[in-house]
Amino acid sequence: MKRSSTVLLTALAPVSWGTTYAVTTELLPADRPLFTGLMRALPAGLLLLALGRVLPRGAWWGKAAILGALNIGAFFPLLFLSAYRLPGGMAAVVGSVGPLFVVGLSALLLGRRPTARTVLAGVVAAFGVSLVVLKAAGALDPLGVLAALASTASMSAGTVLTKRWGRPDGVGPLALAGWQLTAGGLLIAPLALLVEGAPPALDGRAVGGYLYLALANTAVSYWLWFRGIGRLTATQVTFLGPLSPLTAAVVGWAALGQALTPLQLTGMALAFGATVAGQLRAGGTAVRTFGPAGGGKPREDRNRDRDRDRDGDGDRDTDRPDARGPALRG
C-alpha cells in the first residue's frame, strides 16, 4: 500500500508537467522559452531553499550543481529548443524514450540488469506516445533532434545519479529539490539574458501563469519527483514520464477543444499500459543488483529498503547512501 501511494504521488509530477504546454501557449509571452524556464526554476528553488533551511555541505556543493545542471539547467533549455524546432509532437516522442535511457544508465551506474520485459515496456510506451502526439508534416531539423535527445539523456542521467548519490544525512527531498532548482535556475539566467534580452512586460495573465509554473508545476512537482526517486527504482520513476504527454493531450481535448482520434486513444491506452507494466516490474521482489563495477553478490531489492524513516512520513527511504550498501554509494 505504501509503495502504491508513493507511485501515485510521484505520478502527480509528470501529470502536472503535462499542463505546461497549455499554460505556456494560453497565458505566457510568446517565444520566451529561456525566460519561462528561468521563471519556473529559480523562484521555485529559492522557495524550497527557504522552506528546507539547509545548504549543501562538502562534496554536495558539487553534486548539487551537477544534478541541477542535468535535471534543470540543461534539461529546460534543450527541451524548449527541441519543441520549437521539431514538427508537432516529435520532441515528446524523442523524450518518451527516457525509460530506455534510464534502463541503460541503471545497468552502468546502479548495477541493475535490464530485462526483456522492461525494454519491451519502454518501446511500447514510446510507440504509444508517438500515436498520441505525432503529427504529420515537416522535415526533421537535425539540431532539434539532437536537442531532444540531449534533453532526454540529461534528465535520465540526472535521475540515475540522484538515485545513486542519495541524500546527505538529515536532508529531505524538499531541500534536495531546492538545491537543484536553484542551481539550474542560476545556470539558465545568463543564457536567457544573452539570447532573449531583457525580461518581457507581464500582464495579469502572465503573472498568474508564471506563479502556477513556479509553485505547482515546479516546486511541488519536483519535490514529489525527487521524493519518488528516493523510494522507487530509477526505472520505475522514469516509466511515469509518458504521463506528461498523455496529460497534455487530455488537457488539449478538455480545455482547448482539440479532438482525440481513435488512433490517439489507442496510443494512450498503450502508453498507459506500459507505464503500469513498468511499475509492476520494478516493484518485484527479485530485482538483482550488483556493484557499479560488476562486482558484489546479488541481493533482493526488498533487503535494501530496511533503513529508518527519516522524513517522518511513515515511508521507508531507499535513497540514503547508508541504506543501499557499498554497491550504490556515490
Side-chain angles (χ1 to χ4, degrees), residues 260-313:
L260 287 175
T261 67
L263 188 62
Q264 287 177 302
L265 293 174
T266 301
M268 293 176 71
L270 287 173
F272 186 76
T275 297
V276 173
Q279 307 312 307
L280 296 176
R281 176 61 186 92
T285 59
V287 178
R288 298 162 74 87
T289 58
F290 297 82
K297 295 182 179 181
R299 292 165 302 205
E300 291 187 352
D301 220 19
R302 60 187 176 188
N303 291 335
R304 301 189 300 109
D305 295 342
R306 294 180 296 184
D307 60 314
R308 297 189 306 273
D309 170 23
R310 306 202 183 189
D311 294 329
D313 57 4

Side-chain angles (χ1 to χ4, degrees), residues 105-112 160 163-164 234 289-292 327-328:
L105 289 171
S106 293
L108 291 174
L109 299 177
L110 303 182
R112 293 184 176 273
V160 174
K163 185 65 182 179
R164 177 184 173 92
T289 58
F290 297 82
L328 300 186

Side-chain angles (χ1 to χ4, degrees), residues 57-80:
R57 298 184 300 272
W60 268 97
W61 283 103
K63 290 181 179 181
I66 292 172
L67 294 176
L70 290 172
N71 288 321
I72 309 296
F75 175 68
F76 278 7
L78 288 169
L79 180 67
F80 280 121

Side-chain angles (χ1 to χ4, degrees), residues 14-216:
V15 168
S16 174
W17 298 334
T19 66
T20 304
Y21 175 79
V23 171
T24 301
T25 57
E26 298 300 311
L27 301 178
L28 304 184
D31 301 323
R32 303 302 295 263
L34 292 175
F35 179 74
T36 297
L38 174 62
M39 293 300 290
R40 285 186 66 190
L42 192 55
L46 293 175
L47 173 63
L48 294 185
L49 279 182
L51 293 175
R53 296 186 296 178
V54 60
L55 294 176
R57 298 184 300 272
W60 268 97
W61 283 103
K63 290 181 179 181
I66 292 172
L67 294 176
L70 290 172
N71 288 321
I72 309 296
F75 175 68
F76 278 7
L78 288 169
L79 180 67
F80 280 121
L81 176 63
S82 65
Y84 272 83
R85 299 187 68 96
L86 292 178
M90 178 56 71
V93 172
V94 177
S96 68
V97 303
L100 299 178
F101 276 58
V102 169
V103 166
L105 289 171
S106 293
L108 291 174
L109 299 177
L110 303 182
R112 293 184 176 273
R113 290 180 174 178
T115 66
R117 181 177 174 180
T118 302
V119 173
L120 178 61
V123 172
V124 171
F127 178 68
V129 170
S130 70
L131 295 182
V132 175
V133 303
L134 191 58
K135 310 294 182 184
L140 294 183
D141 179 81
L143 180 58
V145 173
L146 182 61
L149 286 172
S151 68
T152 302
S154 179
M155 185 67 166
S156 299
T159 298
V160 174
L161 282 178
T162 300
K163 185 65 182 179
R164 177 184 173 92
W165 286 339
R167 303 193 306 266
D169 288 337
V171 174
L174 186 143
L176 184 65
W179 297 351
Q180 296 186 47
L181 286 166
T182 301
L186 291 175
L187 286 175
I188 296 173
L191 182 62
L193 184 62
L194 179 65
V195 174
E196 297 179 351
L202 303 179
D203 57 17
R205 289 165 57 88
V207 171
Y210 282 127
L211 283 174
Y212 168 77
L213 289 182
L215 297 177

Side-chain angles (χ1 to χ4, degrees), residues 207-268:
V207 171
Y210 282 127
L211 283 174
Y212 168 77
L213 289 182
L215 297 177
N217 187 266
T218 304
V220 174
S221 294
Y222 273 93
W223 167 62
L224 291 174
W225 186 251
F226 292 129
R227 177 183 179 276
I229 291 175
R231 291 163 173 73
L232 308 171
T233 68
T235 302
Q236 191 175 17
V237 171
T238 199
F239 262 104
L240 297 172
L243 293 177
S244 181
L246 297 186
T247 301
V250 172
V251 170
W253 166 75
L256 305 180
Q258 299 172 356
L260 287 175
T261 67
L263 188 62
Q264 287 177 302
L265 293 174
T266 301
M268 293 176 71

